[in-house]
Amino acid sequence: MNKEASKIIGFVAIPWFLLAIIGPHFMSSLLAFFSLSVVMQLFFRLRNPIYATLFFALLFQWLAINIKIVYGNIVNLPLEEQFSFYQNIYRLYDANSISNIGLVCFCSGLYLMTKKKIANLTIDKIIDPNYSVRKILICYLILTFGFSFLFILKSFIPGLNTILMAFSKLKWGVFLWAFIYANYYKNNLKLLYIVIVVEILIGFTGYFSSFKDIIIIVFVGMLSVVSQIDTSKLLKFFMLGIVTLMLGLVWTSVKFQFREYLSDGGGQEVVVSQSDAVNKMISLLEDLTLEDMDDAVDDLLDRISYIEFFSITLDNVPDKIPYQDGEIFTNAVSFYFKPRMFFPNKGIIDDSAHTNKYTMLGLAGGGKASHSIGYMTDAYIDFGPINMFPFLVFLGAIFGYVINLFFNKSKTMFWAVIFITPFYFLISVYSFNMIKVMGNMITYVVPVYLMRNILYKQFDRYFRIT
C-alpha cells in the first residue's frame, strides 16, 4: 500500500463523496474516483522524479476524462448541459466510463513495465553532488534560446522541425534537475525563481500557451524533493494550482484576439515582432474584465475535457462504420517508418478529416484549426469496447518498455532523468489521435536514443563542478 497516496486519497474522499451524493452523476463520480485512486496508488511517489513525471502526465489524462464530472458536481450541472455537440446524452456517460477503464488499463501496462527498477527510486539515491545548480540553469537558458533560434530555420531546412522538436524536449529534463538541485541543496533559489517567472511571462507572448509547460515541471520538481505530505506542502501545491488555474483563465480570455493579432488572421505562424506581441498582450490584459474571466471558465473546461467526440463516435461505430481491426494503430506506427522520398503517395496527417470521418460532424480544418478525436477513441474504433482494454494495457507497456530502455542505457541517473522527463509530453495526450501519440514517441525516442551517448560525452562536463 502506498501510504502517501492513501493519505491524499483519504483527504479527498469525504468532500468527493459528499459532492457525488448531491451532484447529478453519482456513479460516474465513483468511477472517476476509482481511476484517480489507481493512478495515485501506482505512480504517486515522493522524491521520485521519474514517477512524478508519469503521475502528472496521467493526472492530465484523468482531467481530460473527468473534469466536467467534477465541475458538474460542484455547480449541479449534468454532462448533457456542458457540451455543444452532444447527440445522445447517455453516450457521454458511456464515453466517460470507457475512458476511465481505459486509463486504468494504460496505467497498468505502464506500471508493470517500470515497477521493478523505478517504482522505489528516490532522489537521495540518484542525486550526484558533482553537478552545479548554476551551471544546470545556465545550460537550460542556453538550450531555450538556442532552440528558439534554430526553430527560425525550420522553414528553410526540410525535416529540421522534427529533429528540433525531439531534442528541444530535453531542456525540460535539464530544468527539472535545476529545480531539484536548487531545492535539495538550498542553493541558487533566487536565480531559479527568476528563471521561472521570466519563462511564464515569455510564455504569454507566444502563439501557444507555453507558460504551462514550466509550471508542470515545477509541480514535478516539488513532488521530487518533498519528503512527506503535510498541511504546509498541500497548501503549496494548492496555491500553485490556483495560480495555474488563474493563468489558464487569463490566457483563455485573451487567446483568440491575441492569436489573431500574432498571425494577422493567417494560420498558426507568428508574423509580428516579440515587442509588438508583448505590447498587444499588455493591452488585452488591461481591458480584461471579470465578465471575460467568467466566460473563460466554460472555454477552459471545454479545452481540457475531451470525451465529447468519443461519445459521438460511439453512435457511429460500429452501427454506421465498422471496427477497423487494428488498421488505425498499424498505420500510426508504419507512417513514420515510410520516408516520403520512397513513398511519395504517403498521405498527410489531417486530424480534422480523421475526426470528421468517425463523428460525421463536418468540422472545419484548413490549417486554422485542428480537431483530434483522441487516442482512446481510436483504440475503440480499432478494437471495439472489450478488446480495446487489453490493447491499452499493451500500449502502456510499450511506453513503459521505452522508459526502461532509457533508464537502463543512460550513462548516469542524471542523464536518465533528462531523457525520461519529456515523457510527460508524450503521455499526457488523451486528446491526441493515435497517429500523433505514436508519432510523437517514435520521433522523440529514435533520434534521442541513438544520440544519447554522444550527448553525454559532449555536454555532461558543462553541468559539472570544475
Side-chain angles (χ1 to χ4, degrees):
M1 180 67 70
N2 186 335
K3 292 183 179 179
E4 292 297 335
S6 298
K7 187 186 299 184
I8 302 297
I9 293 168
F11 181 79
V12 172
I14 294 176
W16 187 284
F17 281 100
L18 287 175
L19 286 171
I21 290 169
I22 64 177
H25 16 64
F26 179 72
M27 294 305 297
S28 296
S29 300
L30 295 185
L31 185 56
F33 185 79
F34 169 72
S35 64
L36 178 61
S37 299
V38 170
V39 170
M40 294 203 66
Q41 282 291 342
L42 296 185
F43 292 99
F44 187 86
R45 298 287 195 281
L46 300 183
R47 304 177 82 78
N48 185 329
I50 294 176
Y51 262 36
T53 299
L54 300 181
F55 169 71
F56 281 108
L58 295 166
L59 182 62
F60 191 84
Q61 283 208 45
W62 183 88
L63 284 172
I65 297 166
N66 294 296
I67 192 167
K68 288 197 174 182
I69 293 290
V70 178
Y71 179 74
N73 281 341
I74 294 172
V75 300
N76 196 31
L77 197 64
L79 284 184
E80 58 268 24
E81 295 182 25
Q82 298 184 59
F83 289 97
S84 304
F85 293 116
Y86 77 88
Q87 300 172 354
N88 183 337
I89 61 174
Y90 300 107
R91 289 302 197 180
L92 287 168
Y93 294 94
D94 291 341
N96 175 264
S97 299
I98 294 171
S99 296
N100 273 302
I101 298 170
L103 180 60
V104 170
C105 292
F106 182 88
C107 288
S108 301
L110 185 61
Y111 179 72
L112 288 171
M113 293 301 295
T114 57
K115 66 174 182 176
K116 185 176 181 180
K117 293 186 177 180
I118 303 178
N120 297 316
L121 192 75
T122 64
I123 198 68
D124 307 279
K125 297 176 182 177
I126 64 173
I127 197 164
D128 186 340
N130 293 311
Y131 289 96
S132 163
V133 182
R134 182 173 291 272
K135 285 190 173 183
I136 297 171
L137 272 170
I138 291 172
C139 286
Y140 167 75
L141 293 173
I142 292 171
L143 286 171
T144 298
F145 291 113
F147 280 111
S148 297
F149 172 75
L150 290 173
F151 272 115
I152 298 174
L153 306 176
K154 67 181 181 180
S155 301
F156 306 100
I157 304 176
L160 180 62
N161 187 56
T162 301
I163 298 297
L164 288 178
M165 287 297 292
F167 286 98
S168 66
K169 291 183 176 71
L170 295 175
K171 74 172 189 175
W172 296 116
V174 175
F175 176 78
L176 177 58
W177 270 126
F179 187 95
I180 290 171
Y181 269 85
N183 283 275
Y184 190 90
Y185 290 110
K186 305 300 180 186
N187 190 10
N188 286 283
L189 286 169
K190 288 184 179 179
L191 178 58
L192 173 71
Y193 295 142
I194 290 171
V195 170
I196 292 171
V197 171
V198 171
E199 276 277 17
I200 291 173
L201 293 176
I202 292 175
F204 257 86
T205 63
Y207 192 90
F208 299 102
S209 52
S210 59
F211 64 87
K212 68 180 184 298
D213 296 340
I214 196 164
I215 295 176
I216 288 163
I217 303 303
V218 167
F219 271 116
V220 174
M222 289 174 65
L223 203 62
S224 300
V225 295
V226 298
S227 56
Q228 63 178 353
I229 296 295
D230 53 27
T231 304
S232 64
K233 300 297 190 304
L234 284 174
L235 183 60
K236 287 182 180 180
F237 276 102
F238 179 75
M239 293 304 298
L240 185 56
I242 293 296
V243 170
T244 305
L245 175 61
M246 294 306 298
L247 289 173
L249 288 174
V250 169
W251 170 256
T252 303
S253 299
V254 303
K255 70 177 181 180
F256 295 111
Q257 292 174 274
F258 187 58
R259 286 174 172 176
E260 187 76 12
Y261 174 79
L262 291 182
S263 63
D264 195 24
Q268 298 180 355
E269 293 291 330
V270 177
V271 297
V272 301
S273 68
Q274 184 77 28
S275 60
D276 288 340
V278 171
N279 290 332
K280 180 64 176 178
M281 176 58 73
I282 293 173
S283 174
L284 291 171
L285 293 178
E286 288 175 344
D287 294 336
L288 197 61
T289 66
L290 290 177
E291 185 178 346
D292 294 329
M293 294 285 282
D294 187 54
D295 292 338
V297 172
D298 290 335
D299 291 338
L300 184 61
L301 287 170
D302 286 339
R303 180 69 184 88
I304 297 173
S305 178
Y306 226 86
I307 64 169
E308 189 170 20
F309 289 155
F310 195 171
S311 70
I312 297 170
T313 300
L314 289 171
D315 262 345
N316 296 330
V317 179
D319 290 346
K320 299 171 185 176
I321 304 172
Y323 297 126
Q324 299 300 294
D325 298 324
E327 183 178 339
I328 293 174
F329 177 70
T330 301
N331 181 59
V333 175
S334 63
F335 184 88
Y336 295 91
F337 292 102
K338 293 180 178 179
R340 198 169 293 278
M341 67 173 62
F342 300 117
F343 299 89
N345 295 324
K346 185 174 78 168
I348 61 171
I349 298 175
D350 189 332
D351 290 331
S352 296
H354 181 74
T355 299
N356 285 333
K357 178 179 179 180
Y358 295 105
T359 63
M360 302 181 181
L361 289 175
L363 300 167
K368 292 187 177 182
S370 179
H371 305 279
S372 299
I373 203 168
Y375 84 91
M376 215 169 283
T377 309
D378 275 339
Y380 166 80
I381 296 168
D382 251 353
F383 302 104
I386 302 299
N387 292 333
M388 67 176 286
F389 297 131
F391 167 76
L392 289 170
V393 174
F394 167 72
L395 186 64
I398 292 176
F399 278 88
Y401 173 80
V402 176
I403 289 169
N404 258 342
L405 199 62
F406 276 116
F407 184 82
N408 293 327
K409 298 296 183 179
S410 297
K411 292 291 186 181
T412 67
M413 286 297 98
F414 182 86
W415 282 90
V417 171
I418 289 177
F419 294 141
I420 294 172
T421 300
F423 277 83
Y424 170 84
F425 304 97
L426 305 180
I427 290 176
S428 59
V429 288
Y430 178 84
S431 64
F432 283 32
N433 289 348
M434 186 70 72
I435 195 168
K436 285 193 173 178
V437 170
M438 299 309 299
N440 287 347
M441 184 179 73
I442 292 168
T443 55
Y444 171 77
V445 169
V446 172
V448 173
Y449 182 78
L450 293 176
M451 295 288 291
R452 70 191 188 285
N453 289 334
I454 295 175
L455 291 172
Y456 169 78
K457 290 177 182 178
Q458 296 298 320
F459 297 103
D460 185 71
R461 62 183 180 274
Y462 296 112
F463 296 113
R464 290 185 176 272
I465 299 171
T466 53

